[in-house]
Amino acid sequence: MHSMSLKLFVDFNDVKSRHTTPGQVSFGAGESPVRLSFGDQGRRSCRIIAHASERDGGAGAGAEAGGAESQSQHNKSSFFARSQTYALMKQQMELAAKSENFEEAARLRDSLKSFEEEEPVLRLRGLMREAIANEKFEDAARYRDQIKEIAPHYLLKCSSDATTLGIRVQVRSVYIEGRSQPLRGQYFFAYRIRITNNSNRPVQLLKRHWIITNANEKSEDVWGIGVIGEQPVILPNNSFEYSSACPLTTPSGRMEGDFEMKHIDKVGSKTFNVAVAPFALSTFGDATDSI
């Protein structure tokens, strides 16, 4: 079993929206733009030194019989700390590169690679991918279930795509290292939304509703009028895009919700809700890319 010990030396959002046709999108986060496409995830990647140490988790044959459940609980409780360590190391690598301390950046890059190879969730993800590639689906299911025990959010993608009554909502989230402060439990995630009207009637977005859940399963409901101060009208075969952000107190979580809309081609049309399918907020990024 691997545990992380830390030695720490601690030394948005321009919002853009536009009506558009499908394509690549970009938005500002802090001073640097983040560019995203809905097939790829853009990433931005203060002095922090971290190293991994190994401890033997075995306490003899007598402890093994009843140790599986306690080990699972330990994995859950330590996943938060490992995720924080990962975020801190990524911040440090970015800072070293920006200050042209390339030797330090290279060292941290190698440390991150070693961390990714030893981190239980990332290791299980690799095993699951390999099992799928070799059509060993029973093994893949076992690895998936082990990941669920350690980090339930991790199998959720950082993107979602859902259609309601011809209105398609696509979302992509990204972790913003430059706006996050892991030591203070502050994690900053940006997301980009594209709403496409594939129906033959014009619609107007009236209200939004979000359900935001952190890694501790603490949920918060957020309601608001329109999005980013607008109540956009979306004509048939047109799209509306916007970017926003969500802070969390944990390194991962999820969002889902709906938009209240109405057809505007008839007076007195009833409103209806358009679903935004769940998507992950994760410092590790997508868990199921290439699967």
Side-chain angles (χ1 to χ4, degrees):
M1 179 179 67
H2 298 278
S3 62
M4 300 304 301
S5 61
L6 287 178
K7 189 182 296 182
L8 302 176
F9 299 81
V10 182
D11 243 344
F12 135 141
N13 186 13
D14 285 343
V15 177
K16 302 179 182 178
S17 69
R18 62 173 182 259
H19 289 75
T20 182
T21 53
Q24 190 179 58
V25 299
S26 64
F27 59 89
E31 297 178 354
S32 302
V34 178
R35 302 187 185 279
L36 305 175
S37 68
F38 286 90
D40 300 302
Q41 176 174 331
R43 285 196 177 188
R44 294 180 61 230
S45 273
C46 205
R47 172 168 150 119
I48 300 161
I49 299 175
H51 66 275
S53 62
E54 291 190 14
R55 287 191 297 211
D56 185 1
E64 291 179 1
E69 184 175 350
S70 61
Q71 181 63 44
S72 176
Q73 290 301 115
H74 173 79
N75 285 339
K76 286 181 181 179
S77 63
S78 62
F79 181 70
F80 179 95
R82 297 195 304 272
S83 299
Q84 185 184 51
T85 298
Y86 189 76
L88 288 166
M89 292 173 69
K90 287 178 69 178
Q91 271 196 332
Q92 168 61 14
M93 184 176 70
E94 179 191 9
L95 192 61
K98 284 183 177 179
S99 62
E100 298 186 3
N101 187 352
F102 299 123
E103 294 82 5
E104 179 69 3
R107 186 192 69 77
L108 284 160
R109 176 204 61 203
D110 295 341
S111 295
L112 278 166
K113 184 177 180 181
S114 297
F115 183 97
E116 290 168 356
E117 291 172 350
E118 296 175 0
E119 154 54 41
V121 173
L122 296 177
R123 180 177 57 81
L124 286 167
R125 180 180 74 176
L127 291 171
M128 184 172 69
R129 285 177 168 173
E130 184 179 350
I132 292 172
N134 294 326
E135 298 185 357
K136 296 181 178 179
F137 300 118
E138 296 83 0
D139 290 344
R142 187 174 72 254
Y143 297 137
R144 178 204 60 203
D145 292 343
Q146 290 178 29
I147 292 174
K148 283 183 179 179
E149 287 184 5
I150 300 172
H153 292 150
Y154 193 71
L155 289 172
L156 188 64
K157 285 188 175 183
C158 293
S159 61
S160 71
D161 190 336
T163 299
T164 306
L165 297 177
I167 310 301
R168 183 182 184 185
V169 180
Q170 297 166 277
V171 188
R172 163 67 72 179
S173 70
V174 63
Y175 174 58
I176 306 298
E177 286 95 344
R179 292 299 306 274
S180 300
Q181 298 185 60
L183 284 175
R184 297 182 179 180
Q186 298 173 2
Y187 302 87
F188 195 85
F189 299 90
Y191 56 90
R192 182 77 181 180
I193 293 185
R194 176 192 293 149
I195 305 169
T196 304
N197 185 356
N198 291 321
S199 74
N200 58 4
R201 302 179 65 183
V203 298
Q204 184 175 18
L205 191 160
L206 302 175
K207 299 178 182 178
R208 69 185 184 277
H209 171 222
W210 289 114
I211 304 171
I212 304 168
T213 306
N214 68 18
N216 297 321
E217 290 299 322
K218 181 179 180 181
S219 294
E220 178 184 5
D221 287 86
V222 178
W223 288 270
I225 302 298
V227 292
I228 60 168
E230 299 184 46
Q231 292 182 307
V233 171
I234 309 173
L235 300 176
N237 301 312
N238 279 268
S239 297
F240 176 80
E241 299 175 19
Y242 77 95
S243 60
S244 191
C246 175
L248 280 184
T249 58
T250 59
S252 63
R254 67 181 183 272
M255 288 181 65
E256 59 191 296
D258 56 79
F259 297 120
E260 183 179 331
M261 298 189 179
K262 71 174 181 179
H263 294 111
I264 59 172
D265 54 348
K266 284 187 179 181
V267 176
S269 294
K270 293 183 178 180
T271 63
F272 60 97
N273 292 330
V274 173
V276 183
F279 59 96
L281 306 171
S282 174
T283 56
F284 283 154
D286 270 331
T288 51
D289 284 346
S290 304
I291 291 180

